[in-house]
Amino acid sequence: MTKTDILKMLNDADTYVSGQDICDKLELSRTAVWKAIKQLKEEGYEIDAIKNKGYLIKSVPDRITDLEIKSLLADGDIVEDIIYFEETDSSNNQAKIMAEHGRKMPFLVIAEEQTAGKGRRGRKWISPKKSGIYMTLAIKPDIPPQKASMLTIVAAMAVANGLKKACFDGHEGICQIKWPNDIVINKKKAVGILTEMSAEPDMVNYVVVGIGINVNNNDFDESIREMATSISLESKAQVSRRDIIAGFIHEFSRLYKTFEESSDLSGLMDEYNKCLVNINNRVKILGDASQYEAQALGIDKYGRLLVKKDDGEVTAVLSGEVSVRGLYGYA
Ligand code: BTN
């Protein structure tokens, strides 16, 4: 814990922090502080140490370990338990195993690499080392199972907001949501979300919300090249994966509190609809048996997409039953 606490103090400060302040605040000896700083340097942190001034973090390694993320947590964050895997099959699978074994929720599983990453509709989510963020939030909401898909909507908003703040200087309108939960940048997909649940007829045992973010990828498989992008391609800047993850946790915590007040999306749907890539545009609704064009009006408090058909009828479509496409491509 010492290292995490020291890291947190240094992260929170934008100037030098004196060794004495660290000792006093954390009740540590000078030697303990010195040892922890030495370890952090060995782990790749560039820390400036100046006599009579103290310590300043100059650069951080692109690490997304539990230690790293915990040092960025803020008051009000609802996720404190973070589990990191250097490599695993799928963070969703691991989160489900831990939830089944009674681990207290919420918790967040982060993987540096996934060997069997899962996408929606039985697809694979290619998950190479360092290129992306592969994380799964496990949570036990006090809602009936029919409402669980709303959490995916909350998570999508949290990722979009987190990305906007961490990578695009807070600019509105860059990270948009393609209903229900893909994040698109310039109409190309940068984030996918796969939600899985275990439930009884009237209660949820757990929901795992798995989030895959293309961060440093600069080339994609031919099958998805036309529709996929990454944060570094779009922001054209150095991207910090840890800031994205911490941003997601902060935003999810804020939004989830609003969600809990009504157990639906009534307090969030306006904010969501502002991010919706196809709002007011014509879209193609693709069902199993049929497809039609309509105008997308935005979501309702249940997370359904309201669309206006050509005969003027407004109907609500359910995620899972249909997919929505722009008229000229994926978004
Ligand atoms: C999609 O198909 O759009 C959803 C992709 C979800 C991928 C993420 S990566 C982290 C988590 N673990 C998985 O195996 N899948 C999700």
Side-chain angles (χ1 to χ4, degrees), residues 90-92 114 116-120 125 134-136 182 189 192-194 210-212:
S90 147
S91 56
N92 271 30
Q114 294 186 124
K118 301 183 293 186
R120 289 172 70 198
W125 188 263
Y134 319 111
M135 61 181 175
T136 301
D182 286 351
K189 176 165 170 169
I193 301 183
L194 172 67
I211 300 164

Side-chain angles (χ1 to χ4, degrees), residues 76-329:
D77 284 347
I78 61 167
V79 184
E80 287 173 1
D81 185 14
I82 293 167
I83 305 102
Y84 171 78
F85 289 91
E86 195 73 40
E87 181 196 292
T88 189
D89 55 347
S90 147
S91 56
N92 271 30
N93 289 354
Q94 293 305 323
K96 285 195 281 184
I97 293 169
M98 290 174 205
E100 300 276 357
H101 282 83
R103 191 167 189 125
K104 190 167 168 284
M105 289 172 268
F107 60 81
L108 185 73
V109 178
I110 301 174
E112 180 62 76
E113 180 180 4
Q114 294 186 124
T115 51
K118 301 183 293 186
R120 289 172 70 198
R121 297 174 200 275
R123 296 194 195 103
K124 285 186 184 150
W125 188 263
I126 313 286
S127 314
K129 215 174 182 157
K130 302 270 180 203
S131 294
I133 293 174
Y134 319 111
M135 61 181 175
T136 301
L137 174 73
I139 193 161
K140 182 175 171 52
D142 188 14
I143 50 173
Q146 312 83 267
K147 288 189 168 185
S149 64
M150 294 179 194
L151 285 180
T152 315
I153 299 255
V154 180
M157 292 174 75
V159 178
N161 287 345
L163 284 173
K164 189 172 73 186
K165 287 185 184 160
C167 312
F168 297 96
D169 289 333
H171 286 169
E172 295 298 333
I174 296 222
C175 303
Q176 295 182 298
I177 302 175
K178 179 176 165 294
W179 181 83
N181 53 23
D182 286 351
I183 309 291
V184 295
I185 305 177
N186 290 323
K187 301 222 165 184
K188 288 183 160 193
K189 176 165 170 169
V191 180
I193 301 183
L194 172 67
T195 300
E196 301 179 77
M197 169 173 73
S198 153
E200 312 294 324
D202 56 351
M203 70 169 243
V204 172
N205 296 326
Y206 61 79
V207 179
V208 296
V209 185
I211 300 164
I213 309 181
N214 300 331
V215 182
N216 294 315
N217 323 45
N218 49 25
D219 192 22
F220 294 93
D221 190 82
E222 213 177 321
S223 58
I224 55 169
R225 199 166 289 157
E226 288 295 299
M227 56 167 271
T229 191
S230 72
I231 308 305
S232 62
L233 283 177
E234 299 297 333
S235 71
K236 297 185 177 62
Q238 188 79 20
V239 176
S240 156
R241 293 185 302 161
R242 57 182 220 137
D243 287 350
I244 297 174
I245 297 174
F248 163 73
I249 296 174
H250 303 330
E251 280 298 308
F252 186 85
S253 303
R254 177 181 76 81
L255 297 165
Y256 188 71
K257 281 170 198 151
T258 306
F259 171 75
E260 270 188 315
E261 281 163 18
S262 55
S263 294
D264 63 31
L265 299 167
S266 45
L268 296 175
M269 59 191 201
D270 287 350
E271 191 177 333
Y272 179 93
N273 286 334
K274 279 193 197 135
C275 299
L276 203 55
V277 66
N278 274 317
I279 190 93
N280 296 326
N281 291 348
R282 273 181 87 72
V283 290
K284 242 187 258 171
I285 310 291
L286 310 173
D288 279 345
S290 66
Q291 69 175 62
Y292 58 93
E293 286 183 20
Q295 183 191 14
L297 301 179
I299 60 161
D300 64 9
K301 66 177 182 177
Y302 306 109
R304 303 176 304 184
L305 183 68
L306 300 176
V307 297
K308 191 172 177 184
K309 294 182 171 175
D310 288 344
D311 62 5
E313 185 201 344
V314 173
T315 178
V317 297
L318 286 168
S319 65
E321 289 183 1
V322 297
S323 43
V324 174
R325 292 273 179 279
L327 287 195
Y328 306 106

